[in-house]
Amino acid sequence: MTSEIGTDVDRAVAVLRRGGLVGIPTETVYGLAADARDEMAVRRVFTTKGRPLGHPLIVHVADVDQARRWASEWPPTAEALASAWWPGPLTLIVRRRSDVLDVVTGDRDTVALRVPAHPMARALLASFGGGLVAPSANLFGRVSPTTARHVADDLGDAVDYVLDGGPCVIGVESTIVDCSVDPPQVLRPGAVSESDVMKIVGTIAAVSGPSRAPGMLASHYAPSCEVVPVESLEEADRWSSADDDSSTEVLDASNDPIGFAARLYAELRRCDDEGRRRVVIVLPSDEGIGRAVRDRITKAAAPRY
């Protein structure tokens, strides 16, 4: 069975308030939402996704005032970035308050926060009045969902309700900036680029240390078919011409990285649905959202765990 899809925000709020799970649209990808103050509901998110405990979740809130209520410290870098990019595809990591659930933060002393821009997500958060964890609404490590149908197809009736806000306009997960360190670090690339961050905060530091935010694992976002990243269309054509059973699909992300980002996950899903054995993807330049697209493709191509 698949979960019910609809557009009833009030119904979604009621489901969340009784400890249920709701698939929600954001401008980046669809999230699997639960009340971030309800430990049983949050643990159900991990179970439904098959996500290992210890991987921190992002808390989605309605505005910066709500975000500050989850933080024990709100540094100037967080204030500046929130002012510039919220609501929007940016997640900020700050020091947490002691009452934030350990299961939300992976037992870390920090919490990840975001104010999404999607109008339906904003209406939901305003009506709910609290924070929602909302990792991507798919099985852990697999291709992220960018439509309500993707959520229902992936998770079935393990989700109590799916809000249909249409296709995600950005299509790759939010940029994550760790503001709990000085200088800040960009832990995951997204639509807000490193240069965008640097314009606001000045210096940023290179990422160091173990995985401590969503999307930092080497293998992620993976379809069933093999993913082969290449740097040129000529190289892609060599892969295609060498495959005499026509089971290789070639996709070109180099000409329009913004447009390709919006359809990347749908394209990977299509290749699986059509039974493709391999998808060869021409990478975009390592600039702007192109860096995020390269990151997702490279991780989709990594050895599966």
Side-chain angles (χ1 to χ4, degrees), residues 94-167:
V94 296
R95 298 292 172 189
R96 57 176 271 195
R97 286 171 52 103
S98 60
D99 60 352
V100 179
L101 294 174
D102 290 338
V103 69
V104 169
T105 68
D107 289 318
R108 290 164 174 79
D109 63 358
T110 55
V111 63
L113 300 163
R114 179 159 98 92
V115 178
H118 193 288
M120 186 173 281
R122 290 182 58 73
L124 176 72
L125 286 161
S127 180
F128 182 72
L132 299 173
V133 297
S136 57
N138 58 296
L139 296 176
F140 181 70
R142 309 300 290 181
V143 180
S144 297
T146 52
T147 69
R149 175 51 56 190
H150 292 163
V151 179
D153 288 348
D154 280 4
L155 301 180
D157 59 7
V159 182
D160 300 301
Y161 189 59
V162 182
L163 274 176
D164 188 352

Side-chain angles (χ1 to χ4, degrees), residues 34 169 194 198:
V169 295
E194 285 192 0
M198 291 176 68

Side-chain angles (χ1 to χ4, degrees), residues 6-29:
T7 58
D8 189 339
V9 171
D10 291 338
R11 178 174 176 184
V13 170
V15 169
L16 292 164
R17 286 180 175 158
R18 65 172 183 259
L21 305 185
V22 176
I24 67 169
T26 77
E27 68 276 22
T28 55
V29 300

